[in-house]
Amino acid sequence: MNQRISKMRKKLKKYLDQDRYEHTLGVMYTAASLAMRYGYDMDEAMIAGLLHDCAKCIPSQKKIKLCAKYHLSISESEYQNPSLLHAKLGAFLAAKKYHVENQRILNAIACHTTGKPNMTLLDKIIYIADFIEPGRNEAPNLSKVRELAFQDLDKCLFRILEDSLAYLHTRDLSIDPLTEKTYLYYKEQMHL
């Protein structure tokens, strides 16, 4: 692991609780594995994986205040569920606090919770790594999703979106419109 990533790890550890830090390392290493599998730059994938939840442990009201302070837009569904803000706020903090200038990394962090139509390879790697990292064990169809991740990223992404929306519907939880758009986009791509 390069020195830059080691320094980021040390700094990040101060801002996350132990469980979130363990999850973050799991995502970082899973992203590295997926990068190797799909021929993507491993350092980029590891940095995006490491910093994807850098804003996660900030309390909800503080997330809203920070987004307002830094002029980051907040959607209606984000006001209803401020935990969603950790993705866009995390991308902002990755640039400001961890000095990440690579736009591909920042974009992958920004869309790792909702997804977005026409995701890049790195976007998909981080979205999927967040879902399948070894510490995760509660998601439905997890073993099938993990298998798919190393066979076909688009099929895996679609399966995660489908399962996530089904879960949110059965729990009657609010769904971010971007997640719905992402699902419909990939449904069309899969010709379903």
Side-chain angles (χ1 to χ4, degrees):
M1 183 180 325
N2 74 33
Q3 202 168 3
R4 182 175 181 216
I5 295 172
S6 291
K7 281 182 181 173
M8 283 179 183
R9 272 179 68 165
K10 283 187 184 119
K11 185 174 185 175
L12 180 68
K13 191 171 185 179
K14 297 176 202 163
Y15 297 100
L16 300 179
D17 61 40
Q18 189 59 37
D19 288 348
R20 185 59 46 189
Y21 184 68
E22 294 295 326
H23 162 72
T24 293
L25 295 182
V27 174
M28 180 182 75
Y29 288 121
T30 303
S33 299
L34 289 168
M36 283 188 268
R37 162 63 181 89
Y38 293 102
Y40 194 82
D41 183 281
M42 234 180 17
D43 282 349
E44 276 189 30
M46 288 178 76
I47 290 169
L50 179 64
L51 297 179
H52 84 286
D53 272 354
C54 67
K56 186 78 172 184
C57 291
I58 297 170
S60 291
Q61 288 311 306
K62 189 170 180 187
K63 282 187 187 100
I64 291 171
K65 283 180 184 162
L66 287 169
C67 285
K69 178 180 176 180
Y70 296 117
H71 310 291
L72 304 174
S73 64
I74 303 174
S75 71
E76 189 53 46
S77 58
E78 289 167 336
Y79 270 116
Q80 289 173 14
N81 184 2
S83 72
L84 291 171
L85 290 171
H86 81 274
K88 69 171 64 163
L89 184 56
F92 176 82
L93 293 176
K96 186 173 173 65
K97 206 175 188 171
Y98 297 91
H99 314 291
V100 174
E101 295 174 0
N102 183 317
Q103 199 57 52
R104 290 181 302 274
I105 293 172
L106 300 175
N107 290 341
I109 293 169
C111 74
H112 86 269
T113 53
T114 58
K116 67 180 182 185
N118 199 21
M119 292 166 79
T120 66
L121 179 54
L122 183 59
D123 294 344
K124 293 173 192 175
I125 286 172
I126 299 307
Y127 185 91
I128 291 168
D130 186 30
F131 193 85
I132 68 166
E133 64 94 359
R136 295 272 197 204
N137 56 17
E138 73 282 350
N141 308 311
L142 194 54
S143 59
K144 180 64 182 159
V145 171
R146 282 180 171 142
E147 193 180 307
L148 268 176
F150 290 90
Q151 295 169 355
D152 186 318
L153 274 183
D154 286 342
K155 283 182 182 169
C156 180
L157 180 67
F158 181 73
R159 181 66 182 266
I160 293 170
L161 287 161
E162 193 172 48
D163 289 349
S164 297
L165 286 173
Y167 173 81
L168 292 170
H169 281 297
T170 60
R171 299 283 187 289
D172 206 24
L173 297 167
S174 70
I175 296 168
D176 188 285
L178 192 52
T179 302
E180 196 88 55
K181 279 183 193 156
T182 305
Y183 168 75
L184 293 171
Y185 175 87
Y186 282 98
K187 185 176 182 178
E188 193 175 294
Q189 297 302 304
M190 308 298 283
H191 306 293
L192 297 173

